Amino acid sequence: MSLSSAERDAVFAATRAAARALYISNDVIDQFLETSTPTQIAGCRAMLEAEIAHRDASRRARLLRQARLPVHQSVEDFDWTHVRFPDGWGRDDMLSLAFVGSCENLVFFGQTGRGKSHMAIALSMRAAAAGIPVRFWQTAQLVLELGNAKRDGTLAKVLGDISRSRLLVLDEFGYVPFDVDGARLLYQVISESYERRAIIFTTNIEFSKWGTVFADDKLAQAIVDRVVHHGRLVEFAGPSHRLENSLMLGKGGAVA
């Protein structure tokens, strides 16, 4: 196989890039490129690139498992009709996941069945596919686990699990009131995540009422301040998606 100088340089560059991605030393790469035939180099390059693709796919699958999503949802089948974004920031900005890199918070606000959890899950899957560590929690379950861990002396382990994520989802935030200890533990998670990772909250509770959820107005205000400082509010309005697609009520949510 005869290659032009430009083609040879391109093959060498691609092979070198694949080898370096697998942490093979430059000395070994140089020796291989100098002593191997074009056919051998092409075969080796194909093997290296296949290994890189395999590792990448395995990592994405591992991140998806570690996210512990309750179900799998996608953005492709989502109805955006009743979603309202803040001025100057919209759907494409959210789907780009740039908010994760800048450690911004998103608050998905709306009544039950409007698609908040669907979108939080879809973004979590999108993040995992992009190689971003994600952790999804039902908020009440997280508070329960934090309380149990504190009593068992394993709180540091649970907090360490959370700290490894770059995107944290707190689903159904405020649906169940917390006692003071639970509220303080959740505050610790949110406070330690401040400017370190992005958080998505799904909630039907207005900011002004978060004090009733935390049983402590000052603690609630401290949390709201952190959430709002680097956060955006996305409103989910319209009819309930669940009722619209209910088997019991029939299509459209009306009694059949």
Side-chain angles (χ1 to χ4, degrees):
M1 182 172 63
S2 178
L3 298 176
S4 68
S5 177
E7 290 173 333
R8 178 180 178 277
D9 289 344
V11 169
F12 276 31
T15 304
R16 182 180 298 278
R20 289 300 295 148
L22 296 174
Y23 302 103
I24 298 174
S25 69
N26 278 318
D27 288 344
V28 172
I29 296 170
D30 290 341
Q31 182 180 15
F32 174 77
L33 293 176
E34 290 171 2
T35 60
S36 300
T37 66
T39 300
Q40 290 171 330
I41 293 173
C44 181
R45 173 188 169 187
M47 179 185 67
L48 294 173
E49 290 177 344
E51 175 63 16
I52 292 170
H54 173 72
R55 291 188 184 186
D56 186 53
S58 297
R59 181 170 185 265
R60 291 196 304 269
R62 184 178 70 255
L63 289 174
L64 188 59
R65 290 194 304 272
Q66 291 173 345
R68 300 184 189 176
L69 302 174
V71 294
H72 288 182
Q73 303 275 18
S74 70
V75 299
E76 284 72 20
D77 57 354
F78 188 79
D79 181 2
W80 299 91
T81 306
H82 301 289
V83 180
R84 295 196 292 267
F85 293 94
D87 292 340
W89 192 87
R91 178 172 67 180
D92 291 342
D93 297 297
M94 184 174 71
L95 295 181
S96 74
L97 301 177
F99 71 94
V100 178
S102 54
C103 300
E104 297 176 7
N105 303 313
L106 300 183
V107 178
F108 291 171
F109 173 77
Q111 296 306 307
T112 301
R114 269 62 180 183
K116 304 182 300 298
S117 295
H118 179 144
M119 184 49 55
I121 291 170
L123 289 175
S124 297
M125 293 185 63
R126 202 177 184 92
I132 298 171
V134 184
R135 193 67 173 84
F136 185 101
W137 288 93
Q138 294 286 340
T139 307
Q141 181 61 38
L142 172 59
V143 171
L144 178 63
E145 185 160 335
L146 289 170
N148 290 337
K150 183 179 180 181
R151 287 186 291 273
D152 296 342
T154 58
L155 182 59
K157 180 179 179 181
V158 176
L159 294 176
D161 176 40
I162 294 171
S163 71
R164 285 188 285 274
S165 66
R166 288 176 54 200
L167 173 61
L168 175 63
V169 179
L170 298 179
D171 192 36
E172 297 184 349
F173 185 85
Y175 283 36
V176 178
F178 314 125
D179 60 22
V180 174
D181 287 341
R184 288 174 178 168
L185 287 168
L186 185 58
Y187 170 77
Q188 183 176 349
V189 170
I190 295 171
S191 179
E192 290 180 354
S193 297
Y194 182 62
E195 297 187 333
R196 295 181 181 179
R197 64 186 55 83
I199 304 179
I200 296 176
F201 300 82
T202 75
T203 185
N204 61 0
I205 308 296
E206 299 173 5
F207 286 139
S208 62
K209 297 180 180 178
W210 280 23
T212 61
V213 175
F214 286 93
D216 185 325
D217 288 334
K218 291 184 178 180
L219 189 62
Q221 188 58 52
I223 291 176
V224 170
D225 286 347
R226 282 163 173 74
V227 172
V228 171
H229 183 217
H230 293 305
R232 303 178 192 275
L233 179 67
V234 182
E235 297 181 77
F236 290 71
S240 169
H241 295 179
R242 296 191 188 109
L243 288 180
E244 281 193 324
N245 296 284
S246 170
L247 294 176
M248 182 178 291
L249 297 180
K251 188 176 180 180
V255 177

